[in-house]
Amino acid sequence: MSASPIFVFSAFRSLSDPRLQGWVALREHLRAGAELADAREATMQPRLPRAAGAAASAALAGESGIWRLLAPNNRELGRSSSVYGSFTAARTHVLALQAVVEDMVVTCVTGPSSGTHGWFVTVGDVPVMTSGRWYGAASSSREACNGALGAFPAAIVTEDPRPSADPGVRLTRGRGRAADAGTSASW
């Protein structure tokens, strides 16, 4: 276990990957929460644009992936709000974002059901990071977001994508290289 927060990169092999479906569902609920809040408050920060969903679908024509920011105990602090067509594109974007953390703007949203709260982060009008789950209280959501923003600039950016198996299949210990897990050259 690393003593520092770390960015990991996970690939999706198809549109039907359950992990991708979960990521898309959460991101869409966050966007919907932002649109609802926007209807109530004219001064809200920029919302997740609908174009983000279209861009994700276009990028998924082949293998694609996301980045996730993990705490030293492997707890997810945040995740990308975009899907990337290659590991290089995802890694390059994370490195660029680490240089502009001071420009990140947080928007807190209410979830799809009572007592659910989440957040997303934008740079300019571009969404770059979302919460990885719903929180039971607004204060917990804000605290989680502050933790993600605090960890972001100093987090280690891995050199390789994280090995991933097909859904429902576990990797054995010692398979630390992406190539060992059957991940393609782009991921």
Side-chain angles (χ1 to χ4, degrees):
M1 181 173 4
S2 171
S4 299
I6 187 169
F7 285 98
V8 296
F9 302 86
S10 301
F12 304 117
R13 295 177 188 186
S14 74
L15 286 171
S16 62
D17 188 315
R19 296 166 298 153
L20 173 61
Q21 295 303 313
W23 174 84
V24 168
L26 176 64
R27 191 189 65 178
E28 293 304 310
H29 281 299
L30 286 165
R31 191 193 75 232
E35 289 173 350
L36 180 61
D38 195 33
R40 286 184 276 188
E41 291 183 34
T43 60
M44 188 188 128
Q45 298 295 333
R47 65 179 187 251
L48 290 167
R50 287 218 175 263
S57 295
L60 288 171
E63 188 174 40
S64 57
I66 64 169
W67 55 259
R68 296 176 23 222
L69 174 60
L70 303 181
N73 66 356
N74 285 331
R75 180 176 44 89
E76 184 174 307
L77 300 174
R79 59 176 66 174
S80 65
S81 63
S82 297
V83 67
Y84 301 88
S86 73
F87 167 69
T88 301
R91 188 173 190 279
T92 300
H93 193 216
V94 167
L95 293 170
L97 289 172
Q98 283 185 311
V100 295
V101 171
E102 66 279 353
D103 297 333
M104 292 182 172
V105 176
V106 175
T107 300
C108 295
V109 299
T110 302
S113 59
S114 179
T116 56
H117 304 274
W119 52 266
F120 66 91
V121 174
T122 57
V123 173
D125 287 339
V126 178
V128 295
M129 180 170 57
T130 71
S131 56
R133 64 181 186 89
W134 293 111
Y135 296 88
S139 59
S140 297
S141 178
R142 283 191 301 275
E143 183 178 314
C145 185
N146 289 337
L149 290 176
F152 203 100
I156 296 166
V157 182
T158 59
E159 299 286 335
D160 294 312
R162 176 175 242 178
S164 60
D166 290 326
V169 176
R170 294 185 61 147
L171 293 175
T172 59
R173 283 189 183 253
R175 292 187 79 180
R177 301 217 18 100
D180 293 342
T183 304
S184 73
S186 67
W187 276 95

